[in-house]
Amino acid sequence: MSVPVKEVPFAGTVPSPKTENEGMITGNWRTRRPVLDADKCTNCLICWISCPDSSVNQNADVVSFNLKYCKGCGICNEVCPVGAISLAPELDFED
Ligand code: SF4
Ligand code: SF4
């Protein structure tokens, strides 16, 4: 049985065709936050397709993170081939 991609629920697969689902907010679980070094990012989108929470946003030049849903699992950090993503303690940030 095939499911049309637009009917796949947010965070039910990677990548999700949806970008928001207020019922799936998981960002408050996070103890570490992904931080991008934009100078290193080649926009290859390996992190985008690997994030289990659809929390990497595609942008024109470099990616960004949707912190409402990012759990800080670190998969993006592991898969980035150029080391453009680091993980910083959540308590280092005020937002
Ligand atoms: S830390 Fe995990 S949840 Fe957050 S953007 Fe990276 S892969 Fe996605
Ligand atoms: S995997 Fe690394 S280089 Fe590729 S888009 Fe993500 S941050 Fe940029």
Side-chain angles (χ1 to χ4, degrees):
M1 184 182 88
S2 64
V3 177
V5 70
K6 291 193 181 304
E7 293 178 17
V8 174
F10 178 83
T13 187
V14 286
S16 170
K18 299 181 181 178
T19 57
E20 291 289 336
N21 181 348
E22 296 289 329
M24 296 289 286
I25 289 177
T26 47
N28 55 359
W29 298 9
R30 194 177 54 247
T31 58
R32 300 176 304 165
R33 176 183 299 202
V35 176
L36 181 74
D37 181 340
D39 290 336
K40 289 184 179 175
C41 179
T42 61
N43 213 19
C44 68
L45 300 181
I46 291 175
C47 58
W48 170 72
I49 203 163
S50 301
C51 175
D53 290 300
S54 302
S55 298
V56 178
N57 299 320
Q58 291 185 59
N59 299 317
D61 299 320
V62 294
V63 296
S64 63
F65 306 105
N66 184 341
L67 295 177
K68 279 167 67 179
Y69 306 101
C70 166
K71 295 190 187 79
C73 67
I75 291 174
C76 54
N77 163 263
E78 291 288 332
V79 299
C80 177
V82 295
I85 299 173
S86 58
L87 295 170
E90 194 60 33
L91 292 177
D92 287 356
F93 301 89
E94 293 186 358
D95 60 339

